[in-house]
Amino acid sequence: DDFDSIPERAYDVFGLMSSIPSNYDPYNRTYSGIWDGTFQTNWTDNPAWILYDLIKNKRYGLGENIPESYLETLKWSLYSIAQYCDENITITDEISEPRYTCSCVINSQQEAYDLLNTIVSTFRGMLYPVGEGLMAVADRLTDPVINVGPANVIDGMFVYRGPARRTIHTAAYVTWNNPDDGYKLNTALYENQEGIARYGYKIDKINAVGACSKSLAIRLAKWKILTEVMAPDTVTYRASFDHLNVMPGDIINVSDPAYTSEELIGRILSITDNEDSTHTVELDRSVARIGGDESILQLTLPDQTILSIDVSVVSTTTGTEIIVPSAELTTMPVTGAMWLLSKETVRPRMW
């Protein structure tokens, strides 16, 4: 065909070749064997490895300013995040897609801090310094790393704060790049009906950076709105050395008697071998357990991990001693360690 002028052209390309793990297949999104920490150069739309490449690269990234030794902790933290990003999410019975991808064009000079935070936001993450290195975390469900109560809080006081009702959004317009529309910005709407009923209709505007599917854009909007609606509060307290291993992004259990009206956390006074395949754990305060209630006793071990033991009872009982099967005590807690009783009717709050 003849044209009066040179027509406008657009190209759908894979994009920049980046540093990705040597055992990673970016096209099938699979990892083979145990990673030895080395890299290959290939295409990827996994935001975790895009972030790593931007930090490492000396031409267009921060490689000239950040020592390579700082990347050791970063790459290992990103490895699990990258696998999380690559997990398949079912959209319909016939359609699935990776949890998070990032397909974007960076064609202008930007403040490094702002750009890195933009990329990190594509997997709901955070980047922070730790010692002589960098660490990345993503907002995902993990086990709590510590149980917190008045017994390991200075002065035993918790301070709770929440936002003003008028600042809580319950719906969002989210923009994303639609491949079926020449990658032009399209807008989708997410509404949280429970939040609307509670707080009214307050709409936010969100740009889903790097999102090339409507479902991904909706998931990012849903996460932001649900965070505001379901978990708007913050808790502040002062702690001591047992919190040294708590890192940004970690999940903690808080059992506050002022909130629950029950004292369900404290310190272990003693552990006695009953020589009948059971041990008696003596607590520093009396607890009530309701018959038929599914209760879990959590004991903090010397390595700061948490051991959970089923201590449900048939009939109601109250006391400072709980008998547990010896076989459940795979590692013996020490006197003075934290204990927490999570009852079916009263559970600790996760933060």
PDB file of all heavy atoms in Angstrom, residues 7-37:
ATOM      1  N   PRO A   7       4.214   6.156   8.122  1.00  0.00           N
ATOM      2  CA  PRO A   7       3.265   5.862   9.207  1.00  0.00           C
ATOM      3  C   PRO A   7       3.983   5.720  10.550  1.00  0.00           C
ATOM      4  O   PRO A   7       5.170   5.400  10.618  1.00  0.00           O
ATOM      5  CB  PRO A   7       2.648   4.519   8.778  1.00  0.00           C
ATOM      6  CG  PRO A   7       3.704   3.883   7.929  1.00  0.00           C
ATOM      7  CD  PRO A   7       4.380   5.008   7.203  1.00  0.00           C
ATOM      8  N   GLU A   8       3.233   5.982  11.613  1.00  0.00           N
ATOM      9  CA  GLU A   8       3.772   5.752  12.945  1.00  0.00           C
ATOM     10  C   GLU A   8       3.881   4.253  13.191  1.00  0.00           C
ATOM     11  O   GLU A   8       3.025   3.482  12.787  1.00  0.00           O
ATOM     12  CB  GLU A   8       2.863   6.385  14.011  1.00  0.00           C
ATOM     13  CG  GLU A   8       2.855   7.889  13.981  1.00  0.00           C
ATOM     14  CD  GLU A   8       2.061   8.466  15.138  1.00  0.00           C
ATOM     15  OE1 GLU A   8       1.618   7.665  15.992  1.00  0.00           O
ATOM     16  OE2 GLU A   8       1.874   9.689  15.196  1.00  0.00           O
ATOM     17  N   ARG A   9       4.968   3.871  13.852  1.00  0.00           N
ATOM     18  CA  ARG A   9       5.196   2.455  14.120  1.00  0.00           C
ATOM     19  C   ARG A   9       5.420   2.234  15.615  1.00  0.00           C
ATOM     20  O   ARG A   9       5.946   3.098  16.303  1.00  0.00           O
ATOM     21  CB  ARG A   9       6.410   1.954  13.332  1.00  0.00           C
ATOM     22  CG  ARG A   9       6.204   1.914  11.826  1.00  0.00           C
ATOM     23  CD  ARG A   9       7.516   1.728  11.095  1.00  0.00           C
ATOM     24  NE  ARG A   9       8.362   2.925  11.229  1.00  0.00           N
ATOM     25  CZ  ARG A   9       9.584   3.029  10.756  1.00  0.00           C
ATOM     26  NH1 ARG A   9      10.137   1.986  10.138  1.00  0.00           N
ATOM     27  NH2 ARG A   9      10.285   4.135  10.908  1.00  0.00           N
ATOM     28  N   ALA A  10       5.005   1.083  16.064  1.00  0.00           N
ATOM     29  CA  ALA A  10       5.229   0.690  17.454  1.00  0.00           C
ATOM     30  C   ALA A  10       5.706  -0.752  17.468  1.00  0.00           C
ATOM     31  O   ALA A  10       5.334  -1.545  16.598  1.00  0.00           O
ATOM     32  CB  ALA A  10       3.950   0.841  18.272  1.00  0.00           C
ATOM     33  N   TYR A  11       6.533  -1.083  18.437  1.00  0.00           N
ATOM     34  CA  TYR A  11       7.125  -2.418  18.484  1.00  0.00           C
ATOM     35  C   TYR A  11       6.859  -3.055  19.850  1.00  0.00           C
ATOM     36  O   TYR A  11       6.954  -2.400  20.890  1.00  0.00           O
ATOM     37  CB  TYR A  11       8.641  -2.344  18.249  1.00  0.00           C
ATOM     38  CG  TYR A  11       9.008  -1.718  16.914  1.00  0.00           C
ATOM     39  CD1 TYR A  11       9.239  -0.343  16.816  1.00  0.00           C
ATOM     40  CD2 TYR A  11       9.117  -2.500  15.763  1.00  0.00           C
ATOM     41  CE1 TYR A  11       9.572   0.238  15.599  1.00  0.00           C
ATOM     42  CE2 TYR A  11       9.448  -1.922  14.542  1.00  0.00           C
ATOM     43  CZ  TYR A  11       9.672  -0.553  14.477  1.00  0.00           C
ATOM     44  OH  TYR A  11       9.997   0.015  13.264  1.00  0.00           O
ATOM     45  N   ASP A  12       6.509  -4.316  19.811  1.00  0.00           N
ATOM     46  CA  ASP A  12       6.342  -5.089  21.038  1.00  0.00           C
ATOM     47  C   ASP A  12       7.616  -5.904  21.223  1.00  0.00           C
ATOM     48  O   ASP A  12       7.842  -6.884  20.506  1.00  0.00           O
ATOM     49  CB  ASP A  12       5.115  -5.998  20.924  1.00  0.00           C
ATOM     50  CG  ASP A  12       4.776  -6.673  22.248  1.00  0.00           C
ATOM     51  OD1 ASP A  12       5.503  -6.452  23.228  1.00  0.00           O
ATOM     52  OD2 ASP A  12       3.793  -7.444  22.292  1.00  0.00           O
ATOM     53  N   VAL A  13       8.463  -5.508  22.178  1.00  0.00           N
ATOM     54  CA  VAL A  13       9.759  -6.146  22.362  1.00  0.00           C
ATOM     55  C   VAL A  13       9.851  -6.764  23.745  1.00  0.00           C
ATOM     56  O   VAL A  13       9.120  -6.392  24.671  1.00  0.00           O
ATOM     57  CB  VAL A  13      10.913  -5.133  22.169  1.00  0.00           C
ATOM     58  CG1 VAL A  13      10.892  -4.563  20.762  1.00  0.00           C
ATOM     59  CG2 VAL A  13      10.820  -4.008  23.192  1.00  0.00           C
ATOM     60  N   PHE A  14      10.757  -7.710  23.891  1.00  0.00           N
ATOM     61  CA  PHE A  14      10.978  -8.311  25.204  1.00  0.00           C
ATOM     62  C   PHE A  14      11.599  -7.296  26.156  1.00  0.00           C
ATOM     63  O   PHE A  14      11.236  -7.216  27.326  1.00  0.00           O
ATOM     64  CB  PHE A  14      11.886  -9.543  25.085  1.00  0.00           C
ATOM     65  CG  PHE A  14      11.144 -10.791  24.732  1.00  0.00           C
ATOM     66  CD1 PHE A  14      11.118 -11.264  23.428  1.00  0.00           C
ATOM     67  CD2 PHE A  14      10.454 -11.496  25.694  1.00  0.00           C
ATOM     68  CE1 PHE A  14      10.427 -12.410  23.100  1.00  0.00           C
ATOM     69  CE2 PHE A  14       9.759 -12.651  25.380  1.00  0.00           C
ATOM     70  CZ  PHE A  14       9.741 -13.105  24.073  1.00  0.00           C
ATOM     71  N   GLY A  15      12.566  -6.535  25.684  1.00  0.00           N
ATOM     72  CA  GLY A  15      13.183  -5.527  26.536  1.00  0.00           C
ATOM     73  C   GLY A  15      14.620  -5.859  26.889  1.00  0.00           C
ATOM     74  O   GLY A  15      15.266  -6.724  26.277  1.00  0.00           O
ATOM     75  N   LEU A  16      15.102  -5.187  27.902  1.00  0.00           N
ATOM     76  CA  LEU A  16      16.501  -5.227  28.278  1.00  0.00           C
ATOM     77  C   LEU A  16      16.920  -6.599  28.796  1.00  0.00           C
ATOM     78  O   LEU A  16      16.163  -7.285  29.473  1.00  0.00           O
ATOM     79  CB  LEU A  16      16.742  -4.178  29.364  1.00  0.00           C
ATOM     80  CG  LEU A  16      18.188  -3.833  29.728  1.00  0.00           C
ATOM     81  CD1 LEU A  16      18.870  -3.131  28.572  1.00  0.00           C
ATOM     82  CD2 LEU A  16      18.188  -2.927  30.962  1.00  0.00           C
ATOM     83  N   MET A  17      18.144  -6.997  28.463  1.00  0.00           N
ATOM     84  CA  MET A  17      18.736  -8.212  29.028  1.00  0.00           C
ATOM     85  C   MET A  17      19.299  -7.867  30.404  1.00  0.00           C
ATOM     86  O   MET A  17      20.038  -6.901  30.569  1.00  0.00           O
ATOM     87  CB  MET A  17      19.834  -8.739  28.117  1.00  0.00           C
ATOM     88  CG  MET A  17      19.381  -8.986  26.683  1.00  0.00           C
ATOM     89  SD  MET A  17      18.312 -10.430  26.529  1.00  0.00           S
ATOM     90  CE  MET A  17      19.538 -11.720  26.404  1.00  0.00           C
ATOM     91  N   SER A  18      18.934  -8.680  31.405  1.00  0.00           N
ATOM     92  CA  SER A  18      19.283  -8.369  32.785  1.00  0.00           C
ATOM     93  C   SER A  18      20.046  -9.517  33.434  1.00  0.00           C
ATOM     94  O   SER A  18      20.156 -10.609  32.865  1.00  0.00           O
ATOM     95  CB  SER A  18      18.013  -8.083  33.599  1.00  0.00           C
ATOM     96  OG  SER A  18      17.242  -7.064  33.001  1.00  0.00           O
ATOM     97  N   SER A  19      20.541  -9.271  34.625  1.00  0.00           N
ATOM     98  CA  SER A  19      21.202 -10.315  35.412  1.00  0.00           C
ATOM     99  C   SER A  19      20.133 -11.113  36.160  1.00  0.00           C
ATOM    100  O   SER A  19      19.387 -10.556  36.969  1.00  0.00           O
ATOM    101  CB  SER A  19      22.179  -9.703  36.416  1.00  0.00           C
ATOM    102  OG  SER A  19      23.245  -9.059  35.758  1.00  0.00           O
ATOM    103  N   ILE A  20      20.067 -12.415  35.889  1.00  0.00           N
ATOM    104  CA  ILE A  20      19.116 -13.288  36.556  1.00  0.00           C
ATOM    105  C   ILE A  20      19.854 -14.538  37.021  1.00  0.00           C
ATOM    106  O   ILE A  20      20.937 -14.857  36.515  1.00  0.00           O
ATOM    107  CB  ILE A  20      17.942 -13.673  35.628  1.00  0.00           C
ATOM    108  CG1 ILE A  20      18.450 -14.465  34.419  1.00  0.00           C
ATOM    109  CG2 ILE A  20      17.184 -12.436  35.172  1.00  0.00           C
ATOM    110  CD1 ILE A  20      17.331 -15.009  33.537  1.00  0.00           C
ATOM    111  N   PRO A  21      19.319 -15.288  37.986  1.00  0.00           N
ATOM    112  CA  PRO A  21      20.023 -16.480  38.490  1.00  0.00           C
ATOM    113  C   PRO A  21      20.336 -17.490  37.394  1.00  0.00           C
ATOM    114  O   PRO A  21      19.563 -17.664  36.444  1.00  0.00           O
ATOM    115  CB  PRO A  21      19.024 -17.056  39.504  1.00  0.00           C
ATOM    116  CG  PRO A  21      18.252 -15.877  39.962  1.00  0.00           C
ATOM    117  CD  PRO A  21      18.096 -15.002  38.760  1.00  0.00           C
ATOM    118  N   SER A  22      21.458 -18.155  37.544  1.00  0.00           N
ATOM    119  CA  SER A  22      21.918 -19.108  36.530  1.00  0.00           C
ATOM    120  C   SER A  22      21.006 -20.321  36.411  1.00  0.00           C
ATOM    121  O   SER A  22      21.016 -21.001  35.385  1.00  0.00           O
ATOM    122  CB  SER A  22      23.344 -19.569  36.864  1.00  0.00           C
ATOM    123  OG  SER A  22      23.407 -20.071  38.192  1.00  0.00           O
ATOM    124  N   ASN A  23      20.204 -20.590  37.443  1.00  0.00           N
ATOM    125  CA  ASN A  23      19.314 -21.760  37.389  1.00  0.00           C
ATOM    126  C   ASN A  23      17.872 -21.382  37.065  1.00  0.00           C
ATOM    127  O   ASN A  23      16.948 -22.172  37.254  1.00  0.00           O
ATOM    128  CB  ASN A  23      19.347 -22.510  38.726  1.00  0.00           C
ATOM    129  CG  ASN A  23      18.726 -21.700  39.856  1.00  0.00           C
ATOM    130  OD1 ASN A  23      18.729 -20.467  39.815  1.00  0.00           O
ATOM    131  ND2 ASN A  23      18.199 -22.382  40.859  1.00  0.00           N
ATOM    132  N   TYR A  24      17.666 -20.155  36.568  1.00  0.00           N
ATOM    133  CA  TYR A  24      16.319 -19.631  36.329  1.00  0.00           C
ATOM    134  C   TYR A  24      15.988 -19.627  34.844  1.00  0.00           C
ATOM    135  O   TYR A  24      16.776 -19.147  34.033  1.00  0.00           O
ATOM    136  CB  TYR A  24      16.226 -18.215  36.898  1.00  0.00           C
ATOM    137  CG  TYR A  24      14.908 -17.505  36.688  1.00  0.00           C
ATOM    138  CD1 TYR A  24      13.699 -18.154  36.876  1.00  0.00           C
ATOM    139  CD2 TYR A  24      14.877 -16.156  36.322  1.00  0.00           C
ATOM    140  CE1 TYR A  24      12.495 -17.497  36.705  1.00  0.00           C
ATOM    141  CE2 TYR A  24      13.681 -15.478  36.154  1.00  0.00           C
ATOM    142  CZ  TYR A  24      12.493 -16.154  36.340  1.00  0.00           C
ATOM    143  OH  TYR A  24      11.306 -15.490  36.166  1.00  0.00           O
ATOM    144  N   ASP A  25      14.826 -20.179  34.498  1.00  0.00           N
ATOM    145  CA  ASP A  25      14.295 -20.109  33.138  1.00  0.00           C
ATOM    146  C   ASP A  25      13.206 -19.040  33.133  1.00  0.00           C
ATOM    147  O   ASP A  25      12.095 -19.277  33.619  1.00  0.00           O
ATOM    148  CB  ASP A  25      13.707 -21.462  32.725  1.00  0.00           C
ATOM    149  CG  ASP A  25      13.118 -21.446  31.316  1.00  0.00           C
ATOM    150  OD1 ASP A  25      13.009 -20.355  30.718  1.00  0.00           O
ATOM    151  OD2 ASP A  25      12.765 -22.535  30.808  1.00  0.00           O
ATOM    152  N   PRO A  26      13.481 -17.839  32.607  1.00  0.00           N
ATOM    153  CA  PRO A  26      12.522 -16.740  32.699  1.00  0.00           C
ATOM    154  C   PRO A  26      11.291 -16.914  31.822  1.00  0.00           C
ATOM    155  O   PRO A  26      10.279 -16.241  32.033  1.00  0.00           O
ATOM    156  CB  PRO A  26      13.347 -15.524  32.270  1.00  0.00           C
ATOM    157  CG  PRO A  26      14.393 -16.081  31.359  1.00  0.00           C
ATOM    158  CD  PRO A  26      14.725 -17.438  31.910  1.00  0.00           C
ATOM    159  N   TYR A  27      11.374 -17.804  30.833  1.00  0.00           N
ATOM    160  CA  TYR A  27      10.242 -18.001  29.921  1.00  0.00           C
ATOM    161  C   TYR A  27       9.222 -18.971  30.508  1.00  0.00           C
ATOM    162  O   TYR A  27       8.008 -18.788  30.353  1.00  0.00           O
ATOM    163  CB  TYR A  27      10.748 -18.483  28.564  1.00  0.00           C
ATOM    164  CG  TYR A  27      11.779 -17.546  27.981  1.00  0.00           C
ATOM    165  CD1 TYR A  27      13.145 -17.797  28.115  1.00  0.00           C
ATOM    166  CD2 TYR A  27      11.392 -16.370  27.340  1.00  0.00           C
ATOM    167  CE1 TYR A  27      14.094 -16.922  27.613  1.00  0.00           C
ATOM    168  CE2 TYR A  27      12.331 -15.479  26.831  1.00  0.00           C
ATOM    169  CZ  TYR A  27      13.681 -15.765  26.980  1.00  0.00           C
ATOM    170  OH  TYR A  27      14.624 -14.894  26.491  1.00  0.00           O
ATOM    171  N   ASN A  28       9.709 -19.995  31.209  1.00  0.00           N
ATOM    172  CA  ASN A  28       8.808 -20.927  31.884  1.00  0.00           C
ATOM    173  C   ASN A  28       8.642 -20.611  33.360  1.00  0.00           C
ATOM    174  O   ASN A  28       7.857 -21.252  34.057  1.00  0.00           O
ATOM    175  CB  ASN A  28       9.326 -22.365  31.735  1.00  0.00           C
ATOM    176  CG  ASN A  28       9.299 -22.833  30.303  1.00  0.00           C
ATOM    177  OD1 ASN A  28       8.298 -22.653  29.601  1.00  0.00           O
ATOM    178  ND2 ASN A  28      10.400 -23.429  29.834  1.00  0.00           N
ATOM    179  N   ARG A  29       9.424 -19.636  33.846  1.00  0.00           N
ATOM    180  CA  ARG A  29       9.380 -19.182  35.247  1.00  0.00           C
ATOM    181  C   ARG A  29       9.646 -20.333  36.214  1.00  0.00           C
ATOM    182  O   ARG A  29       8.925 -20.529  37.194  1.00  0.00           O
ATOM    183  CB  ARG A  29       8.025 -18.519  35.551  1.00  0.00           C
ATOM    184  CG  ARG A  29       7.722 -17.364  34.623  1.00  0.00           C
ATOM    185  CD  ARG A  29       6.419 -16.671  34.972  1.00  0.00           C
ATOM    186  NE  ARG A  29       6.093 -15.686  33.953  1.00  0.00           N
ATOM    187  CZ  ARG A  29       6.600 -14.453  33.881  1.00  0.00           C
ATOM    188  NH1 ARG A  29       7.460 -14.058  34.801  1.00  0.00           N
ATOM    189  NH2 ARG A  29       6.262 -13.631  32.919  1.00  0.00           N
ATOM    190  N   THR A  30      10.690 -21.087  35.926  1.00  0.00           N
ATOM    191  CA  THR A  30      11.056 -22.219  36.775  1.00  0.00           C
ATOM    192  C   THR A  30      12.500 -22.076  37.239  1.00  0.00           C
ATOM    193  O   THR A  30      13.334 -21.453  36.564  1.00  0.00           O
ATOM    194  CB  THR A  30      10.896 -23.544  36.020  1.00  0.00           C
ATOM    195  OG1 THR A  30      11.681 -23.512  34.817  1.00  0.00           O
ATOM    196  CG2 THR A  30       9.432 -23.790  35.663  1.00  0.00           C
ATOM    197  N   TYR A  31      12.787 -22.667  38.392  1.00  0.00           N
ATOM    198  CA  TYR A  31      14.133 -22.677  38.962  1.00  0.00           C
ATOM    199  C   TYR A  31      14.558 -24.136  39.112  1.00  0.00           C
ATOM    200  O   TYR A  31      13.823 -24.940  39.684  1.00  0.00           O
ATOM    201  CB  TYR A  31      14.143 -21.991  40.331  1.00  0.00           C
ATOM    202  CG  TYR A  31      13.778 -20.523  40.280  1.00  0.00           C
ATOM    203  CD1 TYR A  31      12.440 -20.122  40.209  1.00  0.00           C
ATOM    204  CD2 TYR A  31      14.756 -19.538  40.302  1.00  0.00           C
ATOM    205  CE1 TYR A  31      12.096 -18.784  40.164  1.00  0.00           C
ATOM    206  CE2 TYR A  31      14.421 -18.195  40.256  1.00  0.00           C
ATOM    207  CZ  TYR A  31      13.095 -17.826  40.184  1.00  0.00           C
ATOM    208  OH  TYR A  31      12.754 -16.498  40.133  1.00  0.00           O
ATOM    209  N   SER A  32      15.719 -24.467  38.588  1.00  0.00           N
ATOM    210  CA  SER A  32      16.186 -25.856  38.619  1.00  0.00           C
ATOM    211  C   SER A  32      17.263 -26.038  39.684  1.00  0.00           C
ATOM    212  O   SER A  32      18.247 -25.286  39.727  1.00  0.00           O
ATOM    213  CB  SER A  32      16.738 -26.269  37.245  1.00  0.00           C
ATOM    214  OG  SER A  32      17.799 -25.424  36.850  1.00  0.00           O
ATOM    215  N   GLY A  33      17.050 -27.025  40.554  1.00  0.00           N
ATOM    216  CA  GLY A  33      18.064 -27.357  41.549  1.00  0.00           C
ATOM    217  C   GLY A  33      18.286 -26.248  42.560  1.00  0.00           C
ATOM    218  O   GLY A  33      17.465 -25.354  42.756  1.00  0.00           O
ATOM    219  N   ILE A  34      19.430 -26.325  43.223  1.00  0.00           N
ATOM    220  CA  ILE A  34      19.819 -25.352  44.242  1.00  0.00           C
ATOM    221  C   ILE A  34      20.688 -24.279  43.592  1.00  0.00           C
ATOM    222  O   ILE A  34      21.682 -24.589  42.921  1.00  0.00           O
ATOM    223  CB  ILE A  34      20.577 -26.032  45.393  1.00  0.00           C
ATOM    224  CG1 ILE A  34      19.678 -27.082  46.068  1.00  0.00           C
ATOM    225  CG2 ILE A  34      21.054 -25.000  46.418  1.00  0.00           C
ATOM    226  CD1 ILE A  34      20.377 -27.895  47.128  1.00  0.00           C
ATOM    227  N   TRP A  35      20.330 -23.041  43.797  1.00  0.00           N
ATOM    228  CA  TRP A  35      21.064 -21.934  43.185  1.00  0.00           C
ATOM    229  C   TRP A  35      22.413 -21.752  43.874  1.00  0.00           C
ATOM    230  O   TRP A  35      22.516 -21.762  45.105  1.00  0.00           O
ATOM    231  CB  TRP A  35      20.251 -20.655  43.299  1.00  0.00           C
ATOM    232  CG  TRP A  35      20.854 -19.471  42.605  1.00  0.00           C
ATOM    233  CD1 TRP A  35      21.549 -19.469  41.441  1.00  0.00           C
ATOM    234  CD2 TRP A  35      20.811 -18.109  43.041  1.00  0.00           C
ATOM    235  NE1 TRP A  35      21.940 -18.195  41.108  1.00  0.00           N
ATOM    236  CE2 TRP A  35      21.503 -17.342  42.080  1.00  0.00           C
ATOM    237  CE3 TRP A  35      20.249 -17.461  44.133  1.00  0.00           C
ATOM    238  CZ2 TRP A  35      21.648 -15.963  42.197  1.00  0.00           C
ATOM    239  CZ3 TRP A  35      20.391 -16.104  44.246  1.00  0.00           C
ATOM    240  CH2 TRP A  35      21.078 -15.353  43.284  1.00  0.00           C
ATOM    241  N   ASP A  36      23.474 -21.595  43.062  1.00  0.00           N
ATOM    242  CA  ASP A  36      24.825 -21.425  43.599  1.00  0.00           C
ATOM    243  C   ASP A  36      25.215 -19.961  43.759  1.00  0.00           C
ATOM    244  O   ASP A  36      26.361 -19.639  44.105  1.00  0.00           O
ATOM    245  CB  ASP A  36      25.846 -22.151  42.712  1.00  0.00           C
ATOM    246  CG  ASP A  36      25.870 -21.599  41.272  1.00  0.00           C
ATOM    247  OD1 ASP A  36      25.133 -20.621  40.986  1.00  0.00           O
ATOM    248  OD2 ASP A  36      26.614 -22.161  40.441  1.00  0.00           O
ATOM    249  N   GLY A  37      24.266 -19.041  43.500  1.00  0.00           N
ATOM    250  CA  GLY A  37      24.539 -17.618  43.697  1.00  0.00           C
ATOM    251  C   GLY A  37      25.109 -16.912  42.480  1.00  0.00           C
ATOM    252  O   GLY A  37      25.385 -15.709  42.548  1.00  0.00           O
TER     253      GLY A  37
END
